[in-house]
Amino acid sequence: MEIDYLKLAIDEAWKYQLLTYPNPAVGCVVSIKNRLFVEAHKKAGESHAEVNALWSAYKAFFSAPTLTSSQEIHEYLYKNHNNFFNEATIYVTLEPCNHTGKTPACSKLIETIKPKKVVIGWLDPISSHSGGVDRLKNAGIEVEILNDKRCLNLIEPFIKWTNDKFIFFKFATSLNGAYTGGYITKKESLKWVHQVRDKLDLIVIGGETVRKDRPTLDARMVNGKAPDILIYSRQKEFDKIIPLFNVKNRKVYISDNLDIINKYNFIMIEGGENLYQKVKQIVDWNLFIININKILNRKNYRFDDELEVIHCEKREDLFLWTQKT
Amino acid sequence: MEIDYLKLAIDEAWKYQLLTYPNPAVGCVVSIKNRLFVEAHKKAGESHAEVNALWSAYKAFFSAPTLTSSQEIHEYLYKNHNNFFNEATIYVTLEPCNHTGKTPACSKLIETIKPKKVVIGWLDPISSHSGGVDRLKNAGIEVEILNDKRCLNLIEPFIKWTNDKFIFFKFATSLNGAYTGGYITKKESLKWVHQVRDKLDLIVIGGETVRKDRPTLDARMVNGKAPDILIYSRQKEFDKIIPLFNVKNRKVYISDNLDIINKYNFIMIEGGENLYQKVKQIVDWNLFIININKILNRKNYRFDDELEVIHCEKREDLFLWTQKT
C-alpha cells in the first residue's frame, strides 16, 4: 500500500496537541528528492509547522546558520531558497495562514519558494484567516484540499476554546488500570503536564485527591504560569499548608458545584474514577496517560464504559485521547 | 526531522509478527518518484516483503493483471519492469533471500530490476541464506547494511523457533486491566488468535480458565489446524464435554508440570495473573491485547512488575509486545 504522507503530518501534530494553545495543532510534511521532512507547530509565538518543515528540509541539503525565530527563518528562506523547492510537494493539515500575527504569513513564504503542489487537510474555519489558498493558486501552485476529517479532529480543541471553552479530563494510570499512590507515569509525561498547566487557565481537582496527594499543581518544571484551581468538594475544610494554596498569583476556589468553569477557557480536570463519572457529561475529551511499562499491585478504576478513541500515540507513556460517545 | 523509511518497513512487518511462522517477519519500503510503497511478508508460502512492495509500487504506475502467487508476480516483473525501478531505493528489514524455496529468490528479482540502492536493516543470521548482498553488489547496485537492532528484535521469534522454541504469553484485557468474564477484545483480535493457533503447535492453558471458560481453542475462523493443548493443572479431573477435548486431530495433556513444552517449537500460553507469574521465567515474550475502547467494572490483574516494551501497535485493539527484564 502507498504511504499516506498526510498521516505522517497528522501524527507529528498530535505530539503538540494542547501545547499550542491558543493556536491549533498543525503538522506539515515536505516531500523533496525522494526524502520526507516532517514538523509540527509546537508553541504559540514560535514558527508554524510549514516553516519548521521547510527549514528541516533545507538544512538537510545546504549548510545554514542556526536560526530559531520564525522571523529569521522566513527571511533566510526568502533570500536563499534559490528555487530549490520548485519540485517539492507540501502536505499540511491546516490551510497555511495568510496573516502576519506573531509570525509572518506562511502562505507568503510558500508563494515565494513556489513548490509544485500544496496538499491541505482542512481549511481554516476562522473566516478572517482565509485567503491562503487563493494566494497559492494565484502564484501558479497546484492546490489540493482533502477535507480529511482526521485534520478536523486535530483542531477540535482549537475550535472549542476559540468559540467558548475546551475541557478535558486527565487520568494517569499503570498498564493494569491502577491510578492511586503517587507518580505512576514517567518523567516525560510529568513535564508534559507542566507544559499544559502553563497554558491552562483552570484545573479542577477532587477534594479527596487534594487531601491524599497534597499537590502543588504548578508549572515549575517549565518555569511556567500556574493555573487557577477549583477544588470540587462538599467539605470546605482543607489544610492550608497543602502546597497548592501557597503558589503565587493563582486563585483557589472550593465549591460543590462546577459553575466557576464558565468563566474559563482552557480547563483540565483530574481525579479518580468518581470524579471521572461526575464530569463525564461536561468534558469534551478524556486523556488517559498510561505507563505501559508498569503493572502495580493496586486496584483499578472500575465502571462500565465504551470509549470513542480519537488518537492513540506511544510516547514514553501511552497517550490515549478519547471523546464522549 | 527526516522520516525514517526503515521504520515504516519495520512497523508494517510487525502487523504479521508470528503469523509468518516458520519464516521471519519482514517489511519492505520501495521509494520511487517521491512516493512510498510499504508491504510485509504475511504468511509462509506466500510472496516475500520485497516482492509485495515492488508489486504495490508497479501497480500504482502501470495497469497490470491481478496476480496472487509469488511465482506469477516474479515472472511478470521480470518481463515487464522496463527498467522502471532503476531510480528506486528499496528499504528492507532483512537481507533479501538468495535461495529458491517455496518462492523464487528475491535477490534475483532485485538484481534484474536493478534499483539504485538497497538498504538492509539486518543480515540473515542463517548462514545458508546468505549471498543476497553479494549478488546485488555484483550487479552494480549500491547496498547499505544498517545493523539496526530494531530489525533484530523483529526476527527474534524466528531465531528462537529455528534454534529451539519460541514461547509467548497472551493476555487479553480491557483498558482498565480487567481480564475475566468472556470476550473482551475485538473480533479482529479474535481472528488474529485463530491465525496464530493455526501456526502454533502447542497452547498451554490454566486449569481454572478451562473450567470457567470451557473453550474450544481451535482455528476454525480461518479453517486452520488446531494445536495440541497442555492443561496446566494440579487437579486432573475435567468435564470431557468441554469443547477443547472434542476437536479432531489434537492431543490434550493434563499435567502439573510444564515439561511437555520441550517437545514443541512454537508455544502460546494463556491464562490469568496466576499463570502469568508462574511462567514468567520461561516465556520469551508477553503479548498484551488491550481493548482500549472498553472499561469494565471488574477487578484488574494485580501484582508489581516492570516491563520492557519491544513494540506497541494500535490495531483495533492495542498490541503490546514485551519481554523479560
Side-chain angles (χ1 to χ4, degrees):
Chain A
M1 83 194 129
E2 186 158 7
I3 292 289
D4 171 7
Y5 291 175
L6 192 70
K7 180 174 198 304
L8 300 175
I10 291 167
D11 288 347
E12 188 65 18
W14 270 99
K15 297 179 187 176
Y16 300 90
Q17 181 65 274
L18 305 189
L19 301 185
T20 57
Y21 176 89
N23 291 348
V26 184
C28 179
V29 160
V30 171
S31 167
I32 186 160
K33 296 200 185 296
N34 283 296
R35 295 166 71 174
L36 292 175
F37 301 87
V38 67
E39 292 290 348
H41 180 51
K42 300 183 182 184
K43 193 174 181 182
E46 294 182 3
S47 38
H48 286 187
E50 302 91 312
V51 177
N52 288 338
L54 287 165
W55 190 229
S56 178
Y58 187 86
K59 286 187 294 178
F61 292 91
F62 308 103
S63 53
T66 304
L67 302 173
T68 45
S69 89
S70 184
Q71 189 71 39
E72 286 177 318
I73 297 171
H74 270 252
E75 283 170 12
Y76 191 91
L77 287 173
Y78 269 117
K79 290 197 195 108
N80 298 283
H81 68 90
N82 289 329
N83 294 320
F84 171 68
F85 290 105
N86 287 170
E87 47 179 289
T89 300
I90 299 175
Y91 300 78
V92 62
T93 57
L94 186 67
E95 182 179 359
C97 66
N98 193 37
H99 62 284
T100 301
K102 287 187 176 172
T103 54
C106 287
S107 56
K108 277 192 196 162
L109 177 62
I110 297 173
E111 172 190 43
T112 302
I113 61 159
K114 213 160 178 272
K116 200 168 57 178
K117 182 174 179 176
V118 176
V119 177
I120 296 171
W122 199 263
L123 293 172
D124 197 315
I126 312 258
S127 52
S128 61
H129 287 182
S130 71
V133 170
D134 291 333
R135 183 191 283 278
L136 299 178
K137 282 181 172 171
N138 291 340
I141 298 165
E142 186 188 344
V143 177
E144 186 181 357
I145 299 162
L146 297 182
N147 294 317
D148 188 317
K149 284 266 169 77
R150 297 172 300 178
C151 297
L152 176 59
N153 285 347
L154 200 41
I155 62 168
E156 195 179 310
F158 166 74
I159 291 173
K160 292 215 132 88
W161 64 50
T162 300
N163 291 323
D164 177 20
K165 59 182 170 294
F166 177 77
I167 310 176
F168 75 105
F169 188 98
K170 170 184 76 75
F171 208 177
T173 86
S174 67
L175 182 63
N176 63 322
Y179 63 100
T180 56
Y183 287 128
I184 295 176
T185 53
K186 304 190 189 75
K187 186 170 180 185
E188 182 203 61
S189 298
L190 182 59
K191 180 179 176 190
W192 182 87
V193 169
H194 281 240
Q195 285 175 300
V196 164
R197 286 185 191 153
D198 178 47
K199 300 297 172 191
L200 296 170
D201 46 12
L202 181 73
I203 291 176
V204 178
I205 186 161
E208 199 178 313
T209 308
V210 172
R211 287 186 189 90
K212 275 197 192 146
D213 292 1
R214 304 176 66 82
T216 312
L217 301 178
D218 68 0
R220 65 193 176 281
M221 270 181 86
V222 300
N223 292 322
K225 174 185 68 47
D228 291 346
I229 304 289
L230 165 62
I231 302 177
Y232 184 46
S233 173
R234 266 185 293 252
Q235 283 192 54
K236 301 295 189 304
E237 300 295 317
F238 284 90
D239 176 1
K240 291 291 154 64
I241 308 283
I242 291 172
L244 73 89
F245 289 103
N246 300 303
V247 173
K248 288 188 179 29
N249 298 324
R250 69 129 59 110
K251 297 195 196 70
V252 180
Y253 309 94
I254 304 171
S255 174
D256 60 1
N257 71 62
L258 296 166
D259 295 351
I260 201 79
I261 277 179
N262 293 319
K263 300 195 176 172
Y264 288 89
N265 185 236
F266 182 23
I267 301 131
M268 177 171 81
I269 306 184
E270 46 180 303
E273 55 190 316
N274 294 328
L275 189 56
Y276 175 97
Q277 295 281 62
K278 276 187 205 148
V279 302
K280 251 183 92 164
Q281 293 315 315
I282 69 157
V283 299
D284 297 303
W285 285 5
N286 292 296
L287 169 61
F288 293 81
I289 303 180
I290 301 170
N291 186 340
I292 56 174
N293 297 77
K294 195 182 277 279
I295 298 174
L296 289 170
N297 189 7
R298 297 176 210 159
K299 73 180 283 292
N300 57 342
Y301 59 97
R302 195 182 304 178
F303 43 84
D304 286 304
D305 208 356
E306 290 285 331
L307 304 175
E308 186 169 328
V309 171
I310 306 164
H311 192 66
C312 178
E313 54 180 321
K314 159 99 171 69
R315 302 186 189 191
E316 286 195 19
D317 294 314
L318 192 77
F319 272 56
L320 181 67
W321 307 81
T322 74
Q323 66 185 11
K324 286 196 279 255
T325 40
Chain B
M1 81 195 128
E2 186 159 8
I3 292 288
D4 172 6
Y5 291 175
L6 192 69
K7 180 174 196 303
L8 300 175
I10 291 166
D11 287 348
E12 188 66 18
W14 270 98
K15 296 179 186 174
Y16 299 90
Q17 182 64 273
L18 305 189
L19 302 185
T20 56
Y21 176 88
N23 292 347
V26 183
C28 179
V29 160
V30 171
S31 168
I32 187 160
K33 297 199 184 300
N34 283 296
R35 295 166 72 174
L36 292 174
F37 301 87
V38 66
E39 292 288 349
H41 179 51
K42 301 183 183 184
K43 194 175 181 181
E46 293 182 4
S47 37
H48 287 187
E50 302 91 312
V51 178
N52 288 337
L54 287 165
W55 191 228
S56 179
Y58 187 87
K59 286 188 295 178
F61 292 91
F62 308 102
S63 53
T66 304
L67 301 174
T68 44
S69 88
S70 184
Q71 189 71 38
E72 286 177 318
I73 298 171
H74 270 253
E75 283 171 13
Y76 192 91
L77 286 173
Y78 270 118
K79 290 198 196 109
N80 299 283
H81 68 90
N82 289 328
N83 295 318
F84 170 68
F85 290 105
N86 288 170
E87 48 179 287
T89 301
I90 299 176
Y91 300 78
V92 62
T93 58
L94 187 66
E95 182 178 359
C97 67
N98 193 38
H99 60 287
T100 300
K102 289 188 176 173
T103 55
C106 286
S107 56
K108 278 193 195 161
L109 177 62
I110 297 172
E111 173 190 43
T112 303
I113 61 158
K114 208 151 181 278
K116 201 167 58 180
K117 182 175 181 178
V118 176
V119 177
I120 296 170
W122 198 263
L123 292 173
D124 197 315
I126 311 257
S127 52
S128 61
H129 287 183
S130 72
V133 170
D134 292 333
R135 183 190 283 279
L136 300 178
K137 282 181 172 171
N138 291 338
I141 298 166
E142 187 188 345
V143 176
E144 186 181 359
I145 299 161
L146 298 182
N147 294 316
D148 188 319
K149 283 266 171 77
R150 297 171 301 177
C151 297
L152 176 58
N153 285 346
L154 199 42
I155 62 168
E156 196 179 310
F158 166 74
I159 291 173
K160 292 215 132 89
W161 63 51
T162 300
N163 291 323
D164 177 21
K165 58 182 169 294
F166 178 76
I167 310 176
F168 74 104
F169 188 98
K170 170 184 76 75
F171 208 177
T173 86
S174 66
L175 181 64
N176 62 323
Y179 63 101
T180 56
Y183 288 128
I184 294 176
T185 52
K186 305 191 189 74
K187 187 171 181 186
E188 181 201 62
S189 298
L190 182 60
K191 180 179 175 190
W192 182 87
V193 169
H194 281 238
Q195 285 176 302
V196 164
R197 286 186 191 152
D198 180 47
K199 299 296 173 193
L200 297 170
D201 47 11
L202 181 73
I203 292 176
V204 178
I205 187 161
E208 200 179 310
T209 309
V210 172
R211 287 184 190 92
K212 276 197 195 150
D213 292 1
R214 305 177 66 83
T216 312
L217 301 178
D218 68 1
R220 65 192 177 281
M221 270 181 87
V222 299
N223 292 322
K225 175 184 69 47
D228 290 346
I229 305 288
L230 165 61
I231 302 177
Y232 184 47
S233 174
R234 267 183 293 250
Q235 282 193 56
K236 301 299 189 307
E237 300 294 318
F238 284 89
D239 177 2
K240 293 289 154 64
I241 307 282
I242 291 172
L244 74 87
F245 290 103
N246 301 304
V247 172
K248 288 190 178 35
N249 298 324
R250 70 128 58 109
K251 297 197 197 67
V252 180
Y253 308 94
I254 304 171
S255 174
D256 59 1
N257 71 61
L258 297 167
D259 295 351
I260 200 81
I261 277 180
N262 293 319
K263 300 196 174 168
Y264 288 90
N265 186 237
F266 183 23
I267 300 131
M268 179 171 80
I269 306 184
E270 46 179 302
E273 54 190 317
N274 295 326
L275 189 56
Y276 175 97
Q277 295 281 62
K278 276 185 204 149
V279 302
K280 252 184 93 162
Q281 292 317 311
I282 69 157
V283 300
D284 297 304
W285 285 4
N286 292 297
L287 169 61
F288 292 82
I289 303 180
I290 301 171
N291 186 339
I292 57 173
N293 297 78
K294 197 183 276 278
I295 298 175
L296 289 171
N297 190 7
R298 296 175 210 161
K299 73 180 280 292
N300 57 343
Y301 59 97
R302 196 182 303 177
F303 42 83
D304 287 304
D305 208 357
E306 290 286 330
L307 305 174
E308 185 168 329
V309 171
I310 308 164
H311 192 66
C312 177
E313 53 181 322
K314 160 99 171 66
R315 304 186 190 190
E316 286 196 19
D317 294 315
L318 191 78
F319 272 56
L320 181 67
W321 305 84
T322 74
Q323 65 185 12
K324 285 197 279 258
T325 41

